[in-house]
Amino acid sequence: ETGVTQSPTHLIKTRGQQVTLRCSSQSGHNTVSWYQQALGQGPQFIFQYYREEENGRGNFPPRFSGLQFPNYSSELNVNALLLGDSALYLCASPGPPELFFGEGSRLTVL
Amino acid sequence: GENVEQHPSTLSVQEGDSAVIKCTYSDSASNYFPWYKQELGKRPQLIIDIRSNVGEKKDQRIAVTLNKTAKHFSLHITETQPEDSAVYFCAASRQAGNMLTFGGGTRLMVKP
């Protein structure tokens, strides 16, 4: 299996703050995607990066932004945090199997 | 965009019985349909997937069927065991591993 590592595993922020979540893949694959999973719901696609450029985006506002670095590690940045941003944020990389998720970063916004 | 509906939201079965979870999708261009299992506090893990050129796929106690005309696909688990208890998600996309749209999930409880 392809190892996908995310950090931090848990964090607490206050409304209005900014947060940066990080992801790295052992496979060094050139594609990475991010998903938001609110409690009790299925993951929702945020965006995907291919070779350091965003090449797909779900229904999320611009305050959700990302970066992919030359070593194919990735960041998810969220500005002006809202209570509704509280969720598990999952990074995913092509496997095998086809899409392999990391363990996620659980963000709580107070 | 794609919309995936999943039913039921909860399912309770006796150990050894079968469990069936159903999903419908809206985008006729979707070609890849994976199923993920997520245990409490863990990441979603792929358990089986099917592509649109196949109507059925089986892996031991797990099978998935796809009806492209009706735009629905189903997960079948036979001889359920307590360790099958988890939340199961279906998903759909136009390309394998790309921009998945997930259903809302089914919480399966297998009673010993």
Side-chain angles (χ1 to χ4, degrees):
Chain A
E1 286 189 339
T2 303
V4 177
T5 304
Q6 293 188 241
S7 63
T9 54
H10 297 83
L11 71 167
I12 299 173
K13 291 285 186 178
T14 305
R15 275 183 302 173
Q17 286 189 315
Q18 179 264 344
V19 68
T20 297
L21 308 177
R22 295 179 175 83
C23 171
S24 63
S25 169
Q26 289 180 2
S27 71
H29 206 281
N30 54 19
T31 301
V32 65
S33 51
W34 286 89
Y35 289 78
Q36 180 196 65
Q37 187 177 21
L39 196 62
Q41 298 182 23
Q44 279 195 288
F45 173 71
I46 303 175
F47 46 56
Q48 176 173 289
Y49 277 78
Y50 173 70
R51 293 186 175 179
E52 303 176 49
E53 292 200 6
E54 185 182 298
N55 75 336
R57 189 176 186 95
N59 190 26
F60 281 81
R63 60 189 185 84
F64 285 79
S65 62
L67 283 173
Q68 187 182 28
F69 300 99
N71 66 356
Y72 301 130
S73 64
S74 177
E75 285 183 357
L76 164 65
N77 298 289
V78 187
N79 294 322
L81 284 168
L82 304 173
L83 295 179
D85 295 332
S86 295
L88 180 69
Y89 288 85
L90 295 160
C91 172
S93 185
E98 295 294 349
L99 194 65
F100 189 91
F101 286 93
E103 294 290 351
S105 294
R106 184 164 296 283
L107 170 66
T108 301
V109 182
L110 302 177
Chain B
E2 174 69 278
N3 183 47
V4 177
E5 301 279 347
Q6 183 172 346
H7 299 281
S9 56
T10 60
L11 179 59
S12 182
V13 300
Q14 207 67 36
E15 183 178 358
D17 287 350
S18 295
V20 180
I21 303 171
K22 299 182 179 182
C23 289
T24 60
Y25 62 97
S26 61
D27 183 0
S28 56
S30 286
N31 279 313
Y32 176 67
F33 307 92
W35 287 87
Y36 283 83
K37 175 183 180 182
Q38 187 173 32
E39 297 175 348
L40 192 62
K42 301 284 190 180
R43 62 182 175 85
Q45 289 188 283
L46 182 73
I47 56 171
I48 195 167
D49 58 10
I50 191 168
R51 286 168 170 78
S52 60
N53 58 342
V54 175
E56 184 174 355
K57 183 177 179 180
K58 190 173 181 180
D59 183 4
Q60 298 183 337
R61 297 187 295 110
I62 295 173
V64 58
T65 58
L66 170 65
N67 183 328
K68 281 221 76 177
T69 303
K71 291 194 211 145
H72 66 71
F73 55 114
S74 301
L75 177 71
H76 305 252
I77 305 175
T78 59
E79 300 171 22
T80 53
Q81 301 167 4
E83 52 264 39
D84 294 329
S85 297
V87 179
Y88 291 81
F89 293 99
C90 63
S93 70
R94 294 186 174 192
Q95 187 178 356
N98 239 349
M99 303 181 214
L100 294 176
T101 299
F102 283 82
T106 297
R107 181 171 300 278
L108 173 65
M109 293 169 284
V110 180
K111 295 179 286 186

